[in-house]
């Protein structure tokens, strides 16, 4: 072998080794940062509790004040317009351990930023102002086709301000890697702007491909904004990640940065997954920008995730949803009109309604959409979710649907990514199975898709898991579909999924041993706080 070729191979191998070591170092730094933040927060909570405890021990006045505060907070909790399952763990914690319970409740739930919801609604009003006539016309057309679906759409419009659109082509991808490939192709065509928002970004092979496209587009003058959740990505990327992208012309910010200092907003994470290209094409689904989502690595067997491509009018809502969180993180008063007033219509069948959920408001949009679909089901209701940690009301609704003859099926993972959460998920099987709900586990591996199809005709698909964290604590986004070819594709994919699952309904109908049941009861007690 010629000497120069041998030297070149050695040099290339050396570069690859340095690259791998660099990525490993960044990941280790991220893990160390996460540990540092967690330990710092624990120390601060312990310090606060101990200080308050000392005051409580030495002062009858402080004890009286604590008791009064406990009563006030418990009364406030009881009067909140939220699910009882969200109230009970806090009530028990505060009554049994007043000092610690009050401190934690103050930190995670009680206080917030009153300007947040106002600012987010202001961004959304840009859509409402221009689209009222169009929405009413679409709702009227939808009512003629299916009144129950129209009532669902009207709920999203009246309660949250998300329009229902026509003139939007929808493509469903049963595999996240196919959605990612299509997304990269569309990014190459970008002319004006690219908006991206993800819970997890990993500086791995998949993102490096994406990064090269974004750098090229930035050099061409395309405006690029990337928002990622800092806590979701903390073990995947280092603190310098955003700064390095900024130097390359990509406006990049971590959402709600994890901090070693206590702050009231830290429990709310950005779990959304959105890409918008020129206001004409949008992508969403369950996948993040990390290698396991695209079959490049297999930490939990086969990773099942799905994606959605929208082209046409409905992309305006995805743009609006992105601008909400961009405003929340940067407080930058973007001239939204230049991004929202883009007229791009693609003649197509069906109705498309992107919507989002906001933990800063009392209205639980995603949960209510799920509940409406459960109540509306007449023949079938199929759900796939990575986690199943739900309220008593939802358990009752699912059981009631099964008892009235609806074929209710829920698919959860066969291989878990979080064993404790998986144990909580399985703790719900028995109660559902005894009411006639069929439970399936995805045997090839971990299913991360989050979607529901009712009677084979209306679909909710997006980022909302069927768990408390998604439905009560996270910023989420989903899409309601009716009458499009994508609904047929999703129904076909569900049939394919069932063929890869094992049904465990009969196993859990019979129940388990007492020790296992007691452990599950304990986990279930604190499920709303997970």
């Amino acid at each position: 072998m010629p000497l120069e070729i041998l030297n070149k191979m050695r040099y290339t191998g050396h570069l690859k080794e340095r690259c791998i070591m660099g990525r490993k170092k960044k990941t280790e730094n991220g893990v160390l940062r996460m540990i540092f933040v967690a330990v710092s927060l624990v120390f601060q909570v312990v310090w606060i509790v101990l200080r308050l405890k000392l005051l409580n021990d030495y002062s009858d006045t402080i004890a009286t004040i604590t008791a009064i505060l406990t009563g006030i907070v418990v009364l406030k909790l009881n009067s909140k317009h939220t699910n009882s399952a969200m109230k009970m763990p806090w009530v028990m914690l505060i009554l049994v351990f007043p000092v610690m319970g009050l401190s934690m409740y103050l930190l995670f739930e009680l206080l917030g930023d009153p300007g947040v919801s106002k600012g987010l609604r202001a961004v959304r009003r840009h859509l409402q102002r221009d689209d009222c006539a169009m929405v009413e016309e679409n709702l009227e057309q939808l009512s003629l086709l299916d009144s129950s679906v129209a009532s669902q759409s009207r709920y999203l419009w009246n309660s949250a301000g998300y329009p229902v659109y026509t003139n939007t082509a929808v493509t469903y991808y049963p595999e996240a890697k196919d959605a990612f490939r299509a997304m990269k192709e569309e990014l190459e065509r970008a002319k004006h702007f690219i908006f991206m928002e993800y819970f997890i970004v990993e500086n791995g092979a998949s993102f490096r491909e994406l990064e090269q496209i974004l750098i090229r587009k930035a050099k061409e003058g395309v405006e690029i904004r990337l928002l990622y959740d800092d806590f979701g990505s903390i073990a995947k990327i280092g603190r310098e990640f955003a700064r390095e992208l900024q130097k390359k012309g990509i406006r990049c910010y971590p959402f709600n940065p994890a901090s070693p200092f206590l702050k009231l907003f830290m429990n709310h994470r950005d779990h959304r997954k959105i890409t918008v290209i020129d206001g004409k094409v949008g992508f969403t689904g369950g996948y993040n920008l990390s290698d396991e989502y695209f079959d490049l690595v297999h930490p939990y067997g086969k990773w099942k995730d799905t994606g959605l491509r929208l082209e046409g009018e409905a992309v305006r809502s995805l743009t609006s949803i992105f601008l909400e969180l961009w405003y929340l993180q940067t407080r930058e008063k973007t001239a939204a009109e230049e991004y929202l007033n883009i007229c791009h219509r693609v003649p197509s069948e069906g109705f498309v309604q992107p919507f989002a959920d906001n933990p800063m408001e009392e209205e639980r949009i995603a949960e209510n959409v799920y509940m409406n679909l459960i109540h509306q089901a007449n023949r079938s209701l199929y759900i796939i979710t990575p986690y199943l940690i739900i309220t008593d009301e939802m358990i009752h609704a699912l059981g009631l649907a099964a008892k009235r003859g609806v074929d209710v099926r829920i698919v959860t993972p066969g291989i878990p990514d979080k064993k404790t959460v998986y144990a909580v998920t399985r703790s719900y099987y028995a109660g559902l199975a005894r009411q006639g709900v069929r439970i399936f586990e995805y045997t090839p591996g971990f299913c991360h898709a989050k979607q529901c199809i009712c009677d084979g005709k209306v679909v909710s698909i997006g980022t909302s898991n069927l768990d408390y964290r998604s439905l009560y604590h996270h910023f989420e986004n989903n899409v309601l579909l009716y009458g499009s070819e994508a609904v047929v594709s999703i129904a076909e994919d569900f049939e394919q999924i069932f063929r890869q699952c094992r049904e465990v309904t009969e196993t859990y109908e019979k129940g388990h041993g007492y020790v296992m049941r007691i452990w599950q009861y304990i986990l279930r007690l604190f499920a709303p706080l997970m």
Side-chain angles (χ1 to χ4, degrees), residues 14-28:
H14 179 62
L15 283 179
K16 287 182 178 178
E17 184 178 352
R18 286 180 61 188
C19 185
I20 292 169
M21 291 298 292
R23 292 198 302 273
K24 185 178 179 182
K25 185 177 180 182
K26 287 180 179 179
T27 301
E28 288 175 351

Side-chain angles (χ1 to χ4, degrees), residues 485-498:
E485 190 63 32
V487 174
V488 177
S489 299
I490 292 169
E492 292 172 351
D493 190 37
F494 262 108
E495 293 301 328
Q496 180 65 27
I497 291 169
F498 292 137

Side-chain angles (χ1 to χ4, degrees), residues 62-83:
I62 296 297
T64 302
I65 293 173
T66 302
I68 293 171
L69 284 175
T70 298
I72 292 172
V73 171
V74 168
L75 288 173
K76 179 178 174 60
L77 262 170
N78 189 58
S79 65
K80 283 186 71 174
H81 299 292
T82 188
N83 194 280

Side-chain angles (χ1 to χ4, degrees), residues 194-265:
I194 295 169
F195 294 160
M196 305 185 78
E197 177 183 350
Y198 288 87
F199 180 59
I200 297 174
V201 174
E202 177 193 24
N203 196 12
S206 54
F207 184 79
R208 286 194 297 277
E209 289 181 33
L210 196 65
E211 183 183 14
Q212 293 307 309
I213 298 173
L214 297 178
I215 291 171
R216 282 200 305 273
K217 302 314 290 186
K219 290 178 179 177
E220 293 172 11
V222 176
E223 179 189 1
I224 301 173
R225 305 187 193 185
L226 172 61
L227 195 64
Y228 65 91
D229 188 82
D230 190 52
F231 191 81
S233 306
I234 198 168
K236 301 282 189 178
I237 54 180
R239 299 188 64 151
E240 72 284 354
F241 177 79
R243 291 195 295 269
E244 290 177 359
L245 289 183
Q246 293 271 12
K247 294 175 184 176
K248 297 171 184 176
I250 299 166
R251 300 191 64 197
C252 179
Y253 290 95
F255 178 80
N256 195 10
S259 168
F261 303 102
L262 293 175
K263 57 179 183 177
L264 303 171
F265 190 59

Side-chain angles (χ1 to χ4, degrees), residues 111-125 265 324 327-329 331 333 358 360-361 475:
L111 298 180
D113 185 344
V116 169
S117 294
K118 183 178 179 181
L120 300 187
R121 285 193 296 268
V123 176
R124 203 176 308 148
R125 278 198 296 270
F265 190 59
E324 285 182 0
Y327 164 82
L328 181 54
Q329 181 56 44
R331 295 305 171 101
K333 294 183 178 179
N358 171 11
M360 307 302 291
E361 296 182 355
F475 293 89

